[in-house]
Amino acid sequence: MPYAVGLDCVGTDNPIIVEGVPVEGDYLEISWDDYTAAINCLVNGLHVCVVNGVFVLDYEIPPEDSP
């Protein structure tokens, strides 16, 4: 099964390593349908995210001045 973690990170390996450091955040196993939908979002410039243990497609990043 694929997984999602943090923001914009989807894949089939665990964990994601960026510059030698594992990506932190909630890892969530997702279906292949969600994986395909996530890839479609990413290639279209949209975001995906795991928020409070829920996988969110088309996640909107809050403005920096939001609390």
Side-chain angles (χ1 to χ4, degrees):
M1 279 300 203
Y3 69 94
V5 60
L7 178 65
D8 285 353
C9 298
V10 295
T12 54
D13 295 325
N14 188 9
I16 297 172
I17 306 294
V18 177
E19 296 180 4
V21 179
V23 173
E24 296 194 15
D26 294 329
Y27 282 75
L28 181 69
E29 199 168 285
I30 59 175
S31 69
W32 286 105
D33 288 340
D34 282 344
Y35 177 79
T36 302
I39 297 302
N40 287 332
C41 281
L42 296 174
V43 298
N44 286 300
L46 304 175
H47 297 283
V48 296
C49 191
V50 176
V51 180
N52 298 323
V54 177
F55 183 58
V56 180
L57 294 169
D58 194 12
Y59 178 77
E60 301 225 2
I61 300 172
E64 288 189 30
D65 58 348
S66 293

